[in-house]
Every structure is written in structure tokens, then in C-alpha cells.
């Protein structure tokens, strides 16, 4: 499927989980800026060293750097394959950078999906999240438990709490996100179709809502 989608929503809304399902079920490439940065940090590359202080403290990496990293990532991908962008863009500056990158290549986004979630649910999801220190797979202490406590099902790595999932950093990330969200949603409302989907409930339910939207839009056969 060659759909190009941007997934929007606050931290904890389930963008990464949804993008993973879209990749598995529909073949859209899941591209996550947060995961790219965390991988660079794990590998101690020079980009990893530059972004480390932003990522661990929950602040946004500067637009210019994010756009150039994403342009490099997207340029390497097969042109015809669909995309689910997770965590990018986060600001209007980045959204404009993405537009410029795509239009230079004669491409465009098909839509932006905003996952709507009440704040207490976001906090519960983020504070219960555990990630694999080796491969980055996500778990949750209540809703997505690994088979063996503290151990990644996929690679056997140790599960840890992300530095930016500490309670005081979660609050900071949500405040930063709120400040960017209104202008970003306005941008997508003006430039593309913006679709709001409830991000409450389990991953399967959220995917079913998105599937229904895709069928209504004619992106997916019924
Ligand atoms: P995420 O995994 O999407 O929650 O991102 C984790 C962290 O990576 C964020 O708190 C930021 O520090 C950084 N980050 C990820 N995506 C972006 C982006 N589009 N713009 C700026 N910083 C980002």
C-alpha cells in the first residue's frame, strides 16, 4: 500500500503502537523519530551525542536537525512504499520541512491522523511503559506484559523505564506537546485532511477505528 500518513497526538496516545500495526497489516513503513534518536544514542554516534540531552529531558530536538535527519531517512526508502510517520512532524516548522521534501519529489501526504486521548490515560500509559534496552520493543506493566517479567520477548534484553518516562519528565513532555499541538493541527487542517480518531482503549480497537476511516476514505477495500 502506498499511502503516506502522518500520525499525530501527544506522547502516550499510541502512535508507535498504531504505526507498528499499520506496518504489519498494511505494509506501511513505520518511521519513528524518537526510535531513530534512541537508536543513535544507544550506538553512541555523534548524532546520538547531540540529541541525547534533548531526548532524555523530554525537550524537542531543534527543527533543522530533525528535518535533515528525516530527509536522509526518507530519501533512502523505496519511493512507492507507503509511510506511517510517528512522532514527526511535531512543529509547524517540521511540517513545512516535510512538505518541501515531498513536493520536491512530486509526492504528497494523503492525510494526518490525530489520536485523541484524555490526559489521565496518557499518564497511565507512559508511566507504566517499559522498553527493551537492547532492541527498543515496547511493553506495559499492565496491558502489554512480557512473557517473563523484565525480559524482552523479542530479543531477551532487559526491560527498563525510558528516562523521559519518569513522572516529572512526562508532565514536561505533555506541556511542551500541548504548546505545539494547536498550530500543528491548524496547519494540517489547512493543508491536508485532518482526521481525529479516538486513541482510547486497546491497540486492536484503535486500529479498527483507523481501518474504518481508511475504508470510508476509499484507501482500503471493505
Ligand atoms: P517519542 O519517542 O516520539 O516520544 O520521542 C522521544 C523524544 O525524542 C522526544 O521527547 C524528543 O526529545 C525527541 N523527538 C522525537 N521526535 C521529535 C521531533 N519530531 N521533533 C523534536 N524532537 C523529537
Amino acid at each position: 500500500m502506498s499511502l503516506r500518513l502522518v500520525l499525530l497526538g501527544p506522547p502516550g496516545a499510541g502512535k508507535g503502537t498504531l504505526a507498528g500495526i499499520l506496518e504489519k497489516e498494511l505494509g506501511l513503513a513505520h518511521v519513528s523519530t524518537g526510535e531513530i534518536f534512541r537508536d543513535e544514542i544507544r550506538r553512541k554516534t555523534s548524532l546520538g551525542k547531540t540529541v541525547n540531552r534533548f531526548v532524555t529531558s523530554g525537550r524537542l530536538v531543534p527543527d533543522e536537525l530533525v528535518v535533515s535527519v528525516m530527509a536522509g531517512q526518507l530519501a533512502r526508502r523505496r519511493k512507492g512504499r507507503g509511510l506511517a510517520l510517528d512522532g514527526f512532524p511535531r512543529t509547524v516548522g517540521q511540517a513545512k520541512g516535510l512538505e518541501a521534501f515531498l513536493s520536491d519529489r512530486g509526492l504528497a501526504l494523503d492525510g494526518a491522523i490525530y489520536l485523541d486521548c484524555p490526559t489521565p490515560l496518557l499518564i497511565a500509559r507512559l508511566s507504566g511503559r517499559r522498553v527493551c534496552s537492547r532492541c527498543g520493543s515496547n511493553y506495559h506493566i499492565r496491558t502489554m506484559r512480557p512473557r517473563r517479567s523484565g525480559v524482552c520477548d523479542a530479543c531477551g534484553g532487559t526491560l527498563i523505564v525510558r528516562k523521559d518516562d519518569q513522572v516529572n519528565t512526562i508532565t514536561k513532555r505533555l506541556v511542551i506537546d500541548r504548546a505545539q499541538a494547536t498550530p500543528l493541527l491548524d496547519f494540517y487542517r489547512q493543508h491536508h485532511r485532518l482526521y481525529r480518531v479516538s486513541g482510547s482503549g486497546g491497540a486492536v480497537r484503535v486500529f479498527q477505528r483507523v481501518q474504518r476511516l481508511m475504508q470510508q476514505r476509499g484507501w482500503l477495500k471493505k
Side-chain angles (χ1 to χ4, degrees):
M1 177 178 268
S2 60
L3 269 184
R4 274 178 290 272
L5 298 175
V6 161
L7 304 182
L8 303 173
K15 303 182 294 293
T17 303
L18 174 63
I21 300 178
L22 292 174
E23 179 163 88
K24 193 160 158 253
E25 299 295 326
L26 305 178
L28 304 185
H30 173 190
V31 187
S32 153
T33 35
E35 199 38 60
I36 291 166
F37 292 148
R38 281 186 292 278
D39 182 54
E40 298 281 340
I41 293 169
R42 270 195 296 270
R43 293 191 290 113
K44 298 187 169 64
T45 62
S46 71
L47 173 61
K49 285 178 191 150
T50 308
V51 300
N52 189 26
R53 64 201 159 99
F54 294 101
V55 174
T56 51
S57 68
R59 283 177 299 138
L60 292 184
V61 175
D63 281 356
E64 220 173 285
L65 182 55
V66 182
V67 171
S68 86
V69 168
M70 280 307 268
Q73 284 280 332
L74 297 178
R76 283 205 292 275
R77 287 169 195 266
R78 189 162 51 80
K79 202 173 164 185
R81 185 173 178 197
L83 284 174
L85 297 181
D86 156 19
F88 173 83
R90 281 252 216 319
T91 65
V92 172
Q94 294 176 19
K96 288 181 177 165
L98 175 62
E99 292 297 305
F101 173 86
L102 292 174
S103 73
D104 282 353
R105 285 157 183 78
L107 302 172
L109 288 176
D110 293 286
I113 297 179
Y114 177 77
L115 290 180
D116 217 354
C117 251
T119 304
L121 179 57
L122 299 175
I123 293 173
R125 282 181 179 168
L126 294 170
S127 58
R129 179 158 65 185
R130 299 292 179 270
V131 296
C132 175
S133 55
R134 198 186 293 163
C135 74
S137 294
N138 277 292
Y139 297 87
H140 190 278
I141 51 168
R142 273 181 296 281
T143 56
M144 224 193 293
R145 292 186 184 149
R147 283 193 294 271
R148 264 179 64 204
S149 172
V151 180
C152 177
D153 292 347
C155 76
T158 306
L159 302 188
I160 55 166
V161 177
R162 261 169 59 173
K163 283 213 177 85
D164 57 343
D165 282 344
Q166 317 278 355
V167 175
N168 53 345
T169 313
I170 289 175
T171 314
K172 193 159 113 194
R173 285 163 68 202
L174 292 175
V175 169
I176 291 173
D177 180 77
R178 242 171 259 138
Q180 301 294 340
T182 307
L184 187 61
L185 295 187
D186 284 344
F187 178 90
Y188 280 109
R189 222 172 267 122
Q190 284 158 18
H191 289 77
H192 293 278
R193 287 175 194 277
L194 176 71
Y195 304 97
R196 281 184 108 94
V197 173
S198 165
S200 296
V204 174
R205 278 188 61 198
V206 176
F207 175 59
Q208 284 167 346
R209 291 184 196 120
V210 171
Q211 243 181 336
R212 221 172 300 131
L213 164 73
M214 290 178 157
Q215 288 165 347
Q216 281 161 3
R217 299 299 319 148
W219 295 337
L220 196 62
K221 286 204 188 92
K222 291 195 183 181

